[in-house]
Amino acid sequence: MRSMWSDEGAEAAIRAWAGGRACNEDIALRVYTTRLIGREPTLVLHGGGNTSVKTRLLDELGELVDVLCVKGSGWDMANIEPPGLPAVRLGALASLRRLAALDDAAMVNAARTRLLDASAPNPSVEVLLHAFLPHKFIDHSHADAILALVDQAEAESLAREVFGDSLAIVPYIMPGFALAQRAAEVYEAHPQCQGLLLLQHGLFTFGANARESYERHVDAVSRAEAYIASRRKPVGVTSRRNLDYAMLAPLLRGRLGNHRPVVLRYRQSPTIRRFVDHENLESSSGRGPATPDHVIRTKQRPLVLDLGEQPPESWAEVTRNALGAYRARYRSYVRQQIEQKGVARTELDPDPRIVLIPGVGLIAIGPDAAAADVAADIYEHTIEVILDAESVGAYRALGDGDIFDMEYWPLEQAKLGKQPPKPLQGRVVLVTGAASGIGSATARVFATAGAELVLLDRVETPLRELGAQLKAPWKVVDVRDRDAILASVQYAVETFGGLDGIVSNAGTAPQAPIHECPPDLFEESLAINLLAHQWLAAAASTVMRRQGTGGFLLFNASKAAFNPGKDFGPYAIAKAGLVALMKQYALEGGEAGIRSNAINADRVRTGLLPPEVVSARAGARGLDPDTYFRSNLLGREVTADDVARGFLHLALAPSTTGTVLTVDGGNIAASPR
Ligand code: ZN
């Protein structure tokens, strides 16, 4: 690892942030090197690590006061800004060191009540450690290479060999007042040291200025990396047969989540495969997380799901049994800890967050894709740490008691946030014709409702733009191509672990007098407006049945299905067939919990009909286009958003299937009958 410090970068940071009441040069440089550390994933991952600076700021009386600016919770070091380093009155905070003990709630209160700005975020849970050390700049990370050395039975002698006396060693204590006390004592006993090595936790370095503290950090990590590199053992090659993840994922996903849908993220790399295919997987993965605060993301240990040479027909049963055993083991660990410690705690959900499958790879589980990605990132690094630790000794993590304290620590659980879940959180929904009109409006409404979307359309540019806006994966697909539809469903499964719903929306509106309709045009309308819906619904239903958790099929029908218009035969006949298709799926999908519904929308201003056709249809009724769009019982124009909300309503209506929801402002002639 090399230092990323640059004088230009530091000066730019000062120009960008220093000045004003709340930020000076010290804080600007603190932002600069905090970002340097935060942007290096081998140093810091998703909220691990923190930094501080001791400086002076003006209070409300206009007097300079000594403050500690320490990373605030909720801020990511990679993108931190000055408000992410709340200022706490240093003298009042440091004086807490006189106490014999201070519980966590009192510690949080003590830090909050000493803030200069009452609206600032909570200072890091390691605030007292920063306050009790005398140094101006302090940097803390859970760097991979450091963890490989401190997660060892022989960590102390290894540390002496690698770092000499440049780093002093602090035994494992959970973050809080006691750790802060102990770290300060260790420093005072080794005043020459440049930092502290926290066993089974991570690294602190300090310095008189931002660059010194940062570069001491980089130097310590580099030494650890070099030591490991010189001893790294070649890992055996994989000999497991490859298993079909797309086949397995819905089976696994459907059995997880305790009545709440979860999202699966799949990772595979040569390193991951060598790790999960290794014969010692159960032992090497079962020893616990690399640093304690990973436990809330990954749980203490992953589920190892070994399908061996089992045929795919038995995968569901093997998965069910393995999950049952995992949950039983988790519950007994929690019960034991509660009993031993004599504390009152409510058991958290017993499901794994990481599943390791020989022949497949690493699967991370979360309430949504973002949370699952965090768990996947953390475990990918854990694999590196374990492999490196095994190269230099034997990986050893904390025992059940310490892990339990961290997992059930309210300050740690608070990091996961407590917002109520959105209505479609964790649900995977595929939308066709997503790039414009009703499809794009529906994608937006479903994204706001928390769904994980896969967007399909035949036009690339607007699809790509929408995908970027909604952070949703997309695929250019011609819905007439059955193989492409099947591949898209498989893509959704590989991306999110399964599928819970479709909005089968893509359509065209060709016109011709029925008796002289060109065969190609008629066949094309059937291909897009009827057959494509069948290809998608069939493939989606197969995945939903494998999951065993039901799902919803939503079709964009049309008023033409009930109230055909002159020359719209090729369209209306296909749409009438689509309504029959919807009913057939309702009839046959009910026992599997698969609901099937359609929307009958009319006169929505989308690209479906070219403007000249709209003008002609309006003109035939003696209306201008605007009046034409409002000529319904309510006298209001129906928007793509109205239709999108109709789809959302049907997606969330647990007792509704086989129905057509009309979204047309009121048109008695077209009411279904
Ligand atoms: Zn830490």
Side-chain angles (χ1 to χ4, degrees):
M1 163 163 303
R2 57 188 190 87
S3 168
M4 302 300 285
W5 175 278
S6 85
D7 290 340
E8 301 79 66
E11 281 156 23
I14 292 170
R15 275 198 305 278
W17 293 302
R21 198 184 187 94
C23 188
N24 58 25
E25 211 172 295
D26 287 340
I27 298 170
L29 290 171
R30 180 66 284 176
V31 169
Y32 173 58
T33 53
T34 300
R35 286 184 172 194
L36 294 184
I37 292 177
R39 287 175 185 185
E40 176 46 64
T42 61
L43 291 178
V44 162
L45 276 179
H46 303 295
N50 43 64
T51 59
S52 69
V53 61
K54 297 179 181 75
T55 186
R56 307 184 89 193
L57 288 175
L58 290 171
D59 69 4
E60 49 278 89
L61 297 171
E63 285 166 14
L64 278 172
V65 288
D66 289 323
V67 291
L68 171 76
C69 296
V70 64
K71 202 204 91 159
S73 62
W75 281 84
D76 182 340
M77 284 171 68
N79 305 305
I80 201 158
E81 293 173 19
L85 292 158
V88 196
R89 289 173 190 273
L90 179 59
L93 198 63
S95 61
L96 294 172
R97 202 173 159 200
R98 289 202 299 270
L99 296 173
L102 185 68
D103 69 38
D104 298 328
M107 175 181 77
V108 172
N109 183 63
R112 273 216 76 76
T113 51
R114 287 161 174 81
L115 283 167
L116 230 50
D117 173 358
S119 69
N122 272 348
S124 157
V125 296
E126 275 152 351
V127 59
L128 293 183
L129 204 161
H130 290 266
F132 293 174
L133 291 171
H135 309 84
K136 188 169 176 72
F137 282 83
I138 300 178
D139 294 51
H140 170 47
S141 79
H142 306 149
D144 291 354
I146 296 291
L147 293 177
L149 298 184
V150 298
D151 289 344
Q152 300 274 350
E154 305 299 325
E156 289 201 36
S157 58
L158 260 176
R160 300 237 181 287
E161 191 182 338
V162 179
F163 303 111
D165 60 1
S166 63
L167 299 179
I169 293 170
V170 183
Y172 180 79
I173 300 174
M174 194 171 134
F177 180 77
L179 174 62
Q181 286 277 38
R182 186 62 176 269
E185 287 160 19
V186 169
Y187 164 69
E188 282 154 5
H190 303 85
Q192 84 297 342
C193 72
Q194 302 177 356
L196 302 173
L197 210 49
L198 273 58
L199 296 188
Q200 273 144 339
H201 178 160
L203 171 69
F204 276 83
T205 55
F206 24 74
N209 56 59
R211 182 173 186 171
E212 183 176 58
S213 180
Y214 166 68
E215 290 191 337
R216 283 174 171 179
H217 213 84
V218 171
D219 178 60
V221 174
S222 302
R223 283 209 232 176
E225 286 175 343
Y227 181 83
I228 292 162
S230 70
R231 280 159 182 77
R232 195 170 275 137
K233 297 175 197 152
V235 196
V237 284
T238 160
S239 59
R240 287 296 199 121
R241 72 181 167 133
N242 292 327
L243 303 180
D244 181 356
Y245 175 64
M247 184 82 155
L248 176 62
L251 295 176
L252 177 61
R253 179 169 182 255
R255 282 154 187 82
L256 288 164
N258 202 18
H259 307 301
R260 281 229 147 267
V262 292
V263 173
L264 310 190
R265 295 297 239 179
Y266 173 42
R267 299 271 173 98
Q268 201 194 29
S269 71
T271 307
I272 291 173
R273 276 303 293 274
R274 281 199 295 269
F275 185 76
V276 303
D277 290 356
H278 199 275
E279 55 189 11
N280 291 337
L281 174 63
E282 191 79 55
S283 148
S284 52
S285 68
R287 289 178 230 167
T291 188
D293 80 350
H294 289 174
V295 70
I296 56 162
R297 306 288 192 173
T298 64
K299 283 227 147 83
Q300 185 182 15
R301 49 173 65 85
L303 165 65
V304 173
L305 178 58
D306 194 344
L307 297 163
E309 297 298 314
Q310 306 271 3
E313 306 82 81
S314 61
W315 288 359
E317 201 195 330
V318 177
T319 304
R320 195 168 33 244
N321 292 341
L323 271 170
Y326 184 96
R327 289 171 180 141
R329 182 179 185 168
Y330 181 80
R331 292 196 170 111
S332 104
Y333 141 79
V334 174
R335 260 198 314 273
Q336 243 175 40
Q337 290 305 316
I338 287 176
E339 233 165 71
Q340 273 176 23
K341 293 176 193 290
V343 291
R345 293 280 186 278
T346 309
E347 185 192 288
L348 299 167
D349 105 74
D351 274 7
R353 298 294 182 273
I354 301 291
V355 182
L356 303 176
I357 309 182
V360 176
L362 150 64
I363 290 126
I365 298 154
D368 54 33
D373 282 337
V374 170
D377 288 347
I378 287 177
Y379 209 80
E380 267 203 80
H381 284 264
T382 303
I383 288 175
E384 302 278 355
V385 171
I386 293 174
L387 292 174
D388 284 348
E390 291 285 296
S391 303
V392 298
Y395 179 71
R396 193 187 72 169
L398 291 169
D400 287 2
D402 287 318
I403 289 296
F404 176 85
D405 288 344
M406 201 68 183
E407 185 177 6
Y408 282 79
W409 191 25
L411 299 188
E412 200 61 19
Q413 284 295 329
K415 289 185 185 171
L416 295 178
K418 284 275 185 296
Q419 290 105 336
K422 293 177 177 173
L424 286 177
Q425 179 183 292
R427 307 248 181 230
V428 183
V429 182
L430 190 151
V431 183
T432 69
S436 61
I438 290 170
S440 119
T442 305
R444 288 174 201 283
V445 165
F446 276 48
T448 307
E452 305 292 348
L453 296 172
V454 175
L455 308 174
L456 306 187
D457 204 288
R458 67 194 158 91
V459 194
E460 178 169 344
T461 306
L463 183 65
R464 188 180 55 230
E465 285 167 8
L466 184 68
Q469 267 177 35
L470 303 183
K471 297 194 177 71
W474 52 272
K475 240 176 167 7
V476 176
V477 165
D478 182 333
V479 293
R480 291 171 301 183
D481 180 349
R482 181 167 170 266
D483 288 342
I485 294 271
L486 299 185
S488 309
V489 169
Q490 173 143 342
Y491 173 66
V493 171
E494 284 166 357
T495 308
F496 295 118
L499 188 60
D500 303 295
I502 57 167
V503 182
S504 197
N505 161 70
T508 56
Q511 300 173 74
I514 192 69
H515 70 287
E516 53 190 29
C517 178
D520 288 358
L521 189 135
F522 201 89
E523 282 175 11
E524 161 118 340
S525 181
L526 286 176
I528 296 175
N529 293 320
L530 177 58
L531 296 179
H533 295 277
Q534 159 62 2
W535 311 147
L536 178 59
S541 297
T542 304
V543 174
M544 290 170 189
R545 284 170 187 269
R546 209 174 288 145
Q547 276 173 179
T549 48
F552 56 84
L553 311 174
L554 298 173
F555 301 97
N556 193 353
S558 161
K559 77 117 197 175
F562 306 99
N563 180 211
K566 191 167 172 299
D567 293 345
F568 273 86
Y571 177 66
I573 291 161
K575 289 288 191 183
L578 175 58
V579 171
L581 184 82
M582 175 278 283
K583 290 188 180 178
Q584 198 67 32
Y585 272 98
L587 179 69
E588 296 183 22
E591 41 96 18
I594 299 170
R595 298 180 295 106
S596 175
N597 294 291
I599 284 197
N600 154 22
D602 188 28
R603 295 193 194 175
V604 182
R605 245 188 253 248
T606 67
L608 189 68
L609 292 178
E612 59 277 14
V613 175
V614 172
S615 295
R617 295 185 86 181
R621 292 167 174 81
L623 304 172
D624 63 273
D626 285 349
T627 317
Y628 167 77
F629 278 113
R630 286 196 303 270
S631 61
N632 54 45
L633 297 177
L634 296 173
R636 55 167 278 151
E637 181 172 338
V638 178
T639 65
D641 245 16
D642 295 335
V643 183
R645 272 190 271 276
F647 275 129
L648 180 64
H649 172 72
L650 289 173
L652 295 172
S655 304
T656 300
T657 192
T659 197
V660 177
L661 177 65
T662 298
V663 186
D664 63 359
N667 176 358
I668 286 299
S671 49
R673 57 192 155 154

